[in-house]
Amino acid sequence: FALLVLVANGLRSFPKVEKESWPETVGMTGEKAKDVVKAECKDCNVIVLNHFSAVTMDLRFDRVRIFVDENNIVKNPPRRG
C-alpha cells in the first residue's frame, strides 16, 4: 500500500502536457477555428491572419496564429508559437 501511495504521489509531480497544435480546425472558417482554440487554450492570444501576412519571428507559447486563405478557410493546423 505504501508503495502505491508513493507512486501515485510521484505521478502528480509530472508537468501537464498542453496541446501544441489544432489539426481538427483545418477546413473551418478562421473565426470557428479561433473559437475551438480559445475553448482549449484559455490563456492563449489567438489571432486570425491572412496566409500572406507578415509576422514577427519571436517564439511565444501563449500565442496561436491561425492562417486563413482568401476564402477565410484554415489550410494548415494552427500551432503555438
Side-chain angles (χ1 to χ4, degrees):
F1 177 72
L3 180 59
L4 181 59
V5 171
L6 289 174
V7 170
N9 285 337
L11 290 177
R12 278 189 261 139
S13 66
F14 287 107
K16 180 181 175 188
V17 176
E18 295 187 23
K19 194 167 185 179
E20 292 185 16
S21 69
W22 287 264
E24 69 273 18
T25 62
V26 173
M28 293 181 180
T29 64
E31 288 304 313
K32 175 64 177 163
K34 182 176 181 176
D35 292 342
V36 169
V37 174
K38 285 296 279 184
E40 295 182 14
C41 187
K42 295 181 183 3
D43 295 329
C44 286
N45 179 21
V46 184
I47 308 160
V48 178
L49 299 163
N50 180 288
H51 66 290
F52 290 118
S53 295
V55 295
T56 61
M57 297 302 293
D58 60 317
L59 185 61
R60 296 186 49 187
F61 291 105
D62 65 335
R63 175 179 60 210
V64 177
R65 291 178 176 142
I66 301 173
F67 293 98
V68 295
D69 66 9
E70 58 278 350
N71 297 314
N72 195 35
I73 301 298
V74 179
K75 294 294 182 184
N76 296 305
R79 50 186 307 123
R80 286 178 183 259

